[in-house]
Amino acid sequence: MATKCGKCGPGYPTPLEAMKGPREEIVYLPCIYRNTGIEAPDYLATVDIDPKSPQYCQVIHRLPMPNLKDELHHSGWNTCSSCFGDSTKSRDKLMLPCLMSSRIYVVDVGSNPRAPKLHKVIEAEDIHAKCGLGYIHTSHCLASGEVMISSLGDPKGNGKGGFVLLDGETFEVKGTWERPGGAAPMGYDFWYQPRHNVMISTEWAAPNVFRDGFNPADVEAGLYGSHIHVWDWQRHEIVQTLPLQDGLIPLEVRFLHNPDAAQGFVGCALSSTIQRFYKNQGGTWSVEKVIQVPPKKVKGWLLPEMPSLITDILLSLDDRFLYFSNWLHGDLRQYDISDPHRPRLTGQLFLGGSIVKGGPVQVLEDQELKCQPEPLVVKGKRVPGGPQMIQLSLDGKRLYVTTSLYSAWDKQFYPDLREGSVMLQIDVDTVRGGLKLNPNFLVDFGKEPLGPALAHELRYPGGDCSSDIWL
């Protein structure tokens, strides 16, 4: 799947070259059984997404983990385009950090990409002992050949935003990336931009706060994140902590893909805002709100006002479009960010959600819609949940969507996800902007052999716009 040029390593030389890469044929998704009532281990599903294949839209392989209740969540690579110049590197291992058990599974996807196998298990005790960290989340490969994984807490579930560093060949735990005692108060996602000597990290909450569900009282008590942290990439330490205006629960963070760019975006889930962060002339960093999705006044829900809950964001490889999912309201959005100060809405599509007609929620006041959207039915199946994790094809023309957020919150906000989540595909107009559902694409994880599963983040074998970083 990767560009080959004799002395090159994995991935592509530039983001724009990556857009010329081959069409995606398979995708990997972690599938979760924690909080579903099914006593089975989480597993990595391999799905055939090649329209010419007789197995199109089918799970063609399942790799079960050796333990129960790990809560597989996000994934990353042993190496990516940050090592493009190193011909000794090969993108052949998928890293699967476990949000709840704090284990790391290293999966061999190189020997047989259509049938991955387990390569190594890094136990939580090793991470606890060497790093004092747990509840791990985002995995990124580094140009040094190492792998770095963010944490949300310490081994006891208190907030602690540190980073586990692994050897990229042996996958031994080397210790923390940050200096001793230098972890952020909370953690979640991160993205680095070496040309500007910077890394940005975000914060959800302490694992003990969100582990068993969402309690509005925890928001009032200030237990959820509302800052982003600016790190000196060379010194491995925080140089600025930026409070976010209307920025509760900053989750996914994305720099522009152009490695010269000194700006990016972060999606703030609970306040339903997109914030732009940028470097000032003096070398410091600032942040500004550029998109606000208004809440809806409702009846028959947890609170009298329902936020959209922005849970995942993506940037196209040419840095032209921003995409994000509103998990509760149920819509997926596309914005033209040619002017990053003023994103312009160019596409919107409702894919389920909490405010569909005929559901338990009545919308009393809506600043955007004139009526509640219709439930989504694809190939005869009513889609449970709302759009959540998203992944864009390299050429930017296809957007893939899954509907599970985190098992405890799924159970609380979308009880119908007990039927299993789904994977959908959206066709993207990359010329004028616009989104259109592909009515012939559905992967129904409600029909899995051991029972309905919760499918989460998506990865292509050749890399994608949320895992590759260019130097």
Side-chain angles (χ1 to χ4, degrees):
M1 296 284 289
T3 298
K4 302 294 183 183
C5 61
K7 296 183 179 180
C8 296
Y12 302 88
T14 67
L16 295 182
E17 283 298 312
M19 293 188 75
K20 302 173 186 175
R23 179 177 174 137
E24 63 286 356
E25 295 180 353
I26 58 174
V27 66
Y28 302 121
L29 303 90
C31 292
I32 294 90
Y33 277 126
R34 182 173 170 267
N35 280 311
T36 66
I38 296 173
E39 290 295 309
D42 298 347
Y43 61 97
L44 182 70
T46 305
V47 178
D48 189 321
I49 54 173
D50 179 2
K52 299 188 294 289
S53 168
Q55 296 175 303
Y56 182 52
C57 287
Q58 293 179 28
V59 179
I60 58 173
H61 187 266
R62 298 169 183 87
L63 176 66
M65 300 302 118
N67 301 283
L68 295 172
K69 303 186 189 327
D70 282 315
E71 188 93 31
L72 298 181
H73 199 61
H74 285 206
S75 60
W77 296 106
N78 63 317
T79 187
C80 72
S81 293
S82 63
C83 294
F84 177 75
D86 187 347
S87 60
T88 68
K89 303 295 182 186
S90 176
R91 192 196 316 249
D92 57 5
K93 304 292 190 306
L94 187 66
M95 315 299 298
L96 292 178
C98 300
L99 190 57
M100 285 294 115
S101 71
S102 303
R103 292 185 181 93
I104 303 169
Y105 295 112
V106 183
V107 176
D108 175 3
V109 299
S111 301
N112 184 352
R114 298 177 74 86
K117 60 185 179 181
L118 194 59
H119 175 73
K120 181 171 183 172
V121 180
I122 303 166
E123 293 292 348
E125 291 77 15
D126 197 13
I127 297 167
H128 293 168
K130 293 180 181 176
C131 304
L133 299 172
Y135 302 90
I136 50 181
H137 189 268
T138 298
S139 174
H140 274 304
C141 48
L142 308 185
S144 62
E146 297 164 310
V147 175
M148 182 166 149
I149 304 176
S150 61
S151 78
L152 277 74
D154 66 13
K156 294 183 179 179
N158 303 305
K160 191 176 183 182
F163 302 89
V164 177
L165 205 59
L166 304 179
D167 183 282
E169 299 292 333
T170 65
F171 303 105
E172 293 295 316
V173 179
K174 299 180 72 171
T176 61
W177 174 84
E178 74 278 7
R179 293 188 174 191
M186 288 184 270
Y188 185 73
D189 194 21
F190 71 101
W191 196 284
Y192 61 90
Q193 201 83 319
R195 292 188 188 180
H196 294 278
N197 188 36
V198 68
M199 179 178 83
I200 304 287
S201 70
T202 63
E203 45 184 39
W204 184 1
N208 290 337
V209 171
F210 68 79
R211 182 203 317 262
D212 297 320
F214 176 75
N215 184 345
D218 291 335
V219 179
E220 295 295 323
L223 300 182
Y224 278 96
S226 60
H227 298 78
I228 58 173
H229 304 281
V230 182
W231 300 74
D232 185 298
W233 183 239
Q234 294 178 344
R235 300 208 315 262
H236 301 194
E237 62 185 13
I238 296 174
V239 291
Q240 274 184 275
T241 292
L242 301 175
L244 300 169
Q245 178 195 5
D246 301 324
L248 276 173
I249 315 187
L251 294 181
E252 310 301 334
V253 59
R254 309 283 186 242
F255 263 98
L256 296 187
H257 294 288
N258 179 352
D260 283 328
Q263 60 180 318
F265 299 89
V266 58
C268 299
L270 193 58
S271 54
S272 308
T273 61
I274 299 290
Q275 312 265 343
R276 171 182 167 263
F277 56 86
Y278 57 95
K279 188 177 183 179
N280 300 305
Q281 285 188 340
T284 60
W285 292 76
S286 296
V287 65
E288 62 174 349
K289 181 174 71 171
V290 291
I291 300 172
Q292 172 77 65
V293 180
K296 302 181 189 300
K297 292 186 178 179
V298 295
K299 182 180 179 182
W301 194 67
L302 175 70
L303 298 167
E305 283 198 345
M306 180 190 290
S308 75
L309 211 75
I310 297 173
T311 48
D312 197 15
I313 71 170
L314 279 184
L315 300 180
S316 59
L317 285 170
D318 57 4
D319 292 330
R320 183 182 167 197
F321 290 113
L322 163 71
Y323 299 88
F324 64 83
S325 52
N326 290 315
W327 190 59
L328 289 178
H329 287 181
D331 60 314
L332 190 67
R333 299 192 183 200
Q334 176 199 50
Y335 284 79
D336 187 316
I337 53 168
S338 301
D339 179 355
H341 300 273
R342 298 173 186 83
R344 181 172 59 87
L345 181 64
T346 48
Q348 183 177 23
L349 198 59
F350 277 84
L351 305 170
S354 294
I355 60 166
V356 293
K357 288 180 181 175
V361 177
Q362 179 185 357
V363 178
L364 304 176
E365 187 178 314
D366 194 326
Q367 297 180 38
E368 295 186 318
L369 302 178
K370 294 181 180 179
C371 61
Q372 294 180 227
E374 297 287 342
L376 178 64
V377 178
V378 181
K379 299 184 79 170
K381 179 181 175 66
R382 176 168 169 159
V383 170
Q388 210 287 100
M389 293 309 295
I390 52 179
Q391 190 56 267
L392 191 65
S393 61
L394 293 177
D395 61 10
K397 295 180 179 179
R398 291 165 301 284
L399 192 65
Y400 297 90
V401 187
T402 57
T403 54
S404 165
L405 171 62
Y406 160 63
S407 66
W409 287 26
D410 290 352
K411 184 178 178 181
Q412 181 178 2
F413 290 106
Y414 286 116
D416 57 350
L417 277 172
R418 286 175 295 190
E419 306 167 23
S421 65
V422 301
M423 177 179 167
L424 305 170
Q425 187 243 305
I426 313 302
D427 292 319
V428 179
D429 185 333
T430 57
V431 178
R432 295 176 300 276
L435 304 172
K436 184 180 179 183
L437 177 71
N438 180 346
N440 300 313
F441 188 104
L442 174 73
V443 185
D444 184 358
F445 289 93
K447 296 181 177 178
E448 288 296 271
L450 296 180
L454 302 170
H456 197 62
E457 193 190 39
L458 310 108
R459 288 268 175 255
Y460 312 131
D464 49 63
C465 62
S466 60
S467 62
D468 276 40
I469 293 175
W470 281 266
L471 302 183

